[in-house]
Amino acid sequence: MTSQSNLYLLPAGSGAQTSDEGAAPWTDEQGADLVVVANRLPVRHSSSPGDEGWLPSPGGLVSALTSSLQDLNGLWIGWPGAIDHEEPPESYGGIRLKAVNISAEEYEEFYLGFSNATIWPLYHDAIRSPTYHRKWWHTYRNVNMRFAEAIARSVAPGGTVWIHDYQLQLVPQMLRVLRPDVVIGFFFHIPFPPSELFMQLPWRREILTGLLGADLIGFQLHSGASNFSRLARRLTGASGTDSGLTFEGRDIRVGAFPISVDCRLIAEKAADPAIRARAKEIREGLGNPEFLLLGVDRLDYTKGIQQRIKAVSEMLADGTLSAERQVMIQVAVPSRESDAHYEQERHDLERAVGEVNGEYGLVGHPAIHYLHKNLPFDELIALYLAADIMLVTPFRDGMNLVAKEYVMCRSDMTGKLILSEFAGAASELRGAYLVNPHDLDGIKEAILHAMNSGPKETRDRMSRMRRATIRRDVYDWAKGFLSALQQTPHATRLRALEDPSIESTTP
Ligand code: GDG
């Protein structure tokens, strides 16, 4: 680590406007060499009795980014996740945090509105009709500007900024204007749609130019990179290929960086005797069924939960499955609950589960065990260990980490994965039973095939999937993106931090 100048002045003539009227220019404390920016901070506030206060958000993504931030004098900028809350701590787990707050109105218009009712459905094959409101768009722009200003105040001269996901697509260009000296990376966790869908967006050109402010734009799959590059060439005057564009005299690299899970941590947990005993207990509690089928998803209409419930229901109806011998568990983690689409999805799902259990369940043997809650990660691992068949059937998904987590738990090469062709994970997990989630008969056939496959087929498929997953874990993903970002010609500061023989040429 190097020592920083503790004052950064906005470059003269940048034309930057601040939305905080009268606020001092960019005069924050010590600037960070690496800034991670995401809609959410890596901590969440808990009010549960006995567990009050700020807790780390779970997940491999947070761990992987946290380790890069710890190594590189880093800072994480994001929204604390609630409107009225006490200020989050200045640092947590060894990394500095900076909150960007949003008002109740902005929560409605920026978060629930433009991010989750315009962009989210549009980028997921328009499974629900996207809603377009000019007011939401204006608020999205304002909130993105607030993020850009917070970053501009916090990053060291020549520092590196890694922006995450669809809520912040305008930030790269806004930040480029405020801080032309910094290196900017952007990563999409969700798919980037083809032009037939993207062209619907009234603000399509603004979104593309917003993203083109970055030096490197990463996607889960090559198809996302190619969709983006084509659209940028068509609508913005950018030139180049699917891996590199030139726009307004700058070079922008574009590529696929498929995300993964913390393979070692999951494997360790899956070998933990206490978690294995819990998996056994779960199966015993269910009456040691012949087959345990499992679904684990955020409760989201893109995840295809109702499709798989329908497939299972039809198999119960035709006698292929019976509630006494085959049991399904569906975990639906609460998500975006104040949104009407999500409320409806929950209502429809719970009615479907109720109908299946009413029709095919027996006393002491419901056909589907349904949990609408966030489980401790260890309990999730116990469920992965207990399940014979994992059902992952999204209509569209950037990657889907649940599929990779399941695979990483099955070191004994048992367990079968039924996986949607439309999950990013399908391009790596070729040993899965791949299904079209719109094809109910196809899902039923895959469940039947998985139930009847012998140990050799199961082992071959699982070992193929494990090899593909182990090849690159979430730490490799973070390092891969950051080292690609270092190839940016003006990224000398980041390179100098890692290799002191390189001289930083930034201001
Ligand atoms: C977005 C993209 C992309 C789930 N239930 C519980 C729990 N989880 C954890 C899982 C997994 C994560 O949540 C879900 O990740 P997914 O990838 O499946 O889906 P999204 O939330 O939609 O994520 C997606 C991802 O970003 C990363 O780039 O793969 O395509 O949509 O890690 O383990 N964790 C705990 N309790 C639960 O009940 N602790």
Side-chain angles (χ1 to χ4, degrees):
M1 283 187 212
T2 56
S3 64
Q4 312 299 320
S5 120
N6 59 9
L7 182 75
Y8 187 83
L9 294 176
L10 184 67
S14 70
Q17 310 258 312
T18 76
S19 61
D20 300 331
E21 199 93 36
W26 322 103
T27 55
D28 259 15
E29 67 291 338
Q30 191 187 43
D33 292 316
L34 174 64
V35 179
V36 163
V37 192
N39 181 49
R40 295 290 296 271
L41 283 173
V43 291
R44 63 186 173 87
H45 193 264
S46 161
S47 320
S48 317
D51 217 7
E52 293 105 337
W54 292 93
L55 304 172
S57 306
L61 173 69
V62 169
S63 317
L65 294 176
T66 301
S67 84
S68 303
L69 287 167
Q70 283 164 343
D71 292 348
L72 293 169
N73 174 29
L75 169 74
W76 189 309
I77 296 181
W79 175 50
I83 311 290
D84 302 312
H85 57 78
E86 54 185 91
E87 278 297 305
E90 282 185 8
S91 70
Y92 196 97
I95 56 164
R96 283 190 285 150
L97 306 178
K98 180 167 187 156
V100 172
N101 291 311
I102 63 174
S103 66
E105 195 182 5
E106 287 168 340
Y107 177 75
E108 289 290 327
E109 295 176 3
F110 156 76
Y111 180 72
L112 293 179
F114 198 81
S115 298
N116 288 321
T118 305
I119 296 293
W120 178 269
L122 181 68
Y123 286 24
H124 286 90
D125 286 4
I127 294 158
R128 292 281 184 282
S129 291
T131 306
Y132 302 111
H133 279 312
R134 282 168 288 186
K135 193 148 188 295
W136 291 358
W137 162 248
H138 292 140
T139 308
Y140 182 81
R141 239 180 15 200
N142 291 342
V143 174
N144 272 238
M145 182 52 111
R146 191 170 315 137
F147 271 89
E149 288 167 356
I151 305 163
R153 277 194 288 266
S154 314
V155 58
T160 293
V161 180
W162 186 1
I163 302 160
H164 291 259
D165 230 2
Y166 64 103
Q167 301 92 347
L168 303 174
Q169 296 171 94
L170 302 178
V171 174
Q173 180 58 22
M174 291 171 166
L175 179 62
R176 167 86 39 215
V177 172
L178 296 173
R179 291 291 304 270
D181 58 299
V182 301
V183 178
I184 306 172
F186 186 97
F187 181 75
F188 267 108
H189 291 262
I190 69 171
F192 194 85
S195 77
E196 298 75 48
L197 288 170
F198 189 80
M199 291 301 280
Q200 285 185 18
L201 192 61
W203 309 281
R204 56 201 185 189
R205 202 168 280 110
E206 289 89 335
I207 292 283
L208 294 171
T209 44
L211 291 162
L212 286 167
D215 296 295
L216 172 67
I217 310 174
F219 299 83
Q220 302 275 21
L221 302 180
H222 288 292
S223 56
S226 149
N227 289 342
F228 172 79
S229 302
R230 252 183 248 168
L231 278 156
R233 288 195 299 266
R234 180 167 164 196
L235 295 179
T236 70
S239 59
T241 66
D242 286 358
S243 57
L245 294 166
T246 303
F247 178 65
E248 294 182 343
R250 284 188 316 104
D251 290 330
I252 297 117
R253 278 159 315 124
V254 177
F257 296 84
I259 198 168
S260 189
V261 295
D262 188 338
C263 294
R264 190 182 324 162
L265 177 78
I266 295 171
E268 273 169 20
K269 284 191 177 287
D272 181 328
I275 297 180
R276 297 190 75 82
R278 173 65 191 142
K280 197 158 171 271
E281 188 181 80
I282 290 171
R283 290 191 69 96
E284 282 166 4
L286 296 167
N288 280 320
E290 261 171 40
F291 278 101
L292 174 57
L293 293 91
L294 175 66
V296 174
D297 312 78
R298 258 188 323 99
L299 207 171
D300 193 298
Y301 54 79
T302 61
K303 300 288 184 184
I305 308 174
Q306 289 194 58
Q307 287 291 94
R308 77 184 78 125
I309 302 281
K310 194 154 190 337
V312 166
S313 153
E314 289 187 11
M315 293 176 85
L316 286 160
D318 67 21
T320 325
L321 297 180
S322 95
E324 270 178 308
R325 287 180 285 117
Q326 291 94 12
V327 175
M328 177 170 179
I329 298 179
Q330 176 64 53
V331 181
V333 181
S335 179
R336 302 175 197 167
E337 287 187 295
S338 33
D339 182 295
H341 278 314
Y342 287 78
E343 202 185 325
Q344 184 65 42
E345 181 67 17
R346 177 179 178 188
H347 178 83
D348 294 347
L349 177 61
E350 292 182 353
R351 199 185 53 204
V353 170
E355 280 173 9
V356 172
N357 282 335
E359 190 83 22
Y360 307 108
L362 302 165
V363 173
H365 290 286
I368 301 177
H369 293 249
Y370 170 77
L371 301 173
H372 179 249
K373 59 177 70 170
N374 211 317
L375 300 173
F377 195 55
D378 288 3
E379 181 73 358
L380 205 57
I381 301 286
L383 283 169
Y384 291 145
L385 282 169
D388 303 294
I389 300 180
M390 184 82 214
L391 293 158
V392 180
T393 56
F395 293 119
R396 182 63 69 188
D397 215 332
M399 178 54 64
N400 197 291
L401 297 180
V402 165
K404 292 188 172 182
E405 287 165 2
Y406 179 68
V407 165
M408 281 321 301
C409 284
R410 313 300 302 206
S411 59
D412 61 358
M413 307 297 156
T414 62
K416 302 140 202 259
L417 174 65
I418 293 179
L419 178 62
S420 164
E421 294 166 16
F422 305 133
S427 63
E428 292 167 86
L429 304 181
R430 307 305 294 175
Y433 296 88
L434 293 177
V435 294
N436 169 359
H438 300 277
D439 173 10
L440 268 177
D441 287 338
I443 299 177
K444 286 158 63 181
E445 275 163 30
I447 295 176
L448 201 58
H449 188 165
M451 285 194 330
N452 292 329
S453 65
K456 178 165 184 329
E457 178 180 337
T458 304
R459 201 172 44 245
D460 289 351
R461 284 175 175 270
M462 186 51 78
S463 60
R464 199 173 159 199
M465 292 192 285
R466 286 176 62 83
R467 278 198 306 276
T469 310
I470 290 166
R471 203 172 294 143
R472 190 174 40 214
D473 71 7
V474 71
Y475 294 92
D476 299 322
W477 166 81
K479 272 193 230 129
F481 188 90
L482 284 171
S483 66
L485 201 47
Q486 284 184 45
Q487 307 312 313
T488 307
H490 63 289
T492 50
R493 186 179 191 106
L494 190 63
R495 284 202 294 274
L497 287 170
E498 301 219 315
D499 178 357
S501 66
I502 298 172
E503 209 181 311
S504 168
T505 55
T506 44

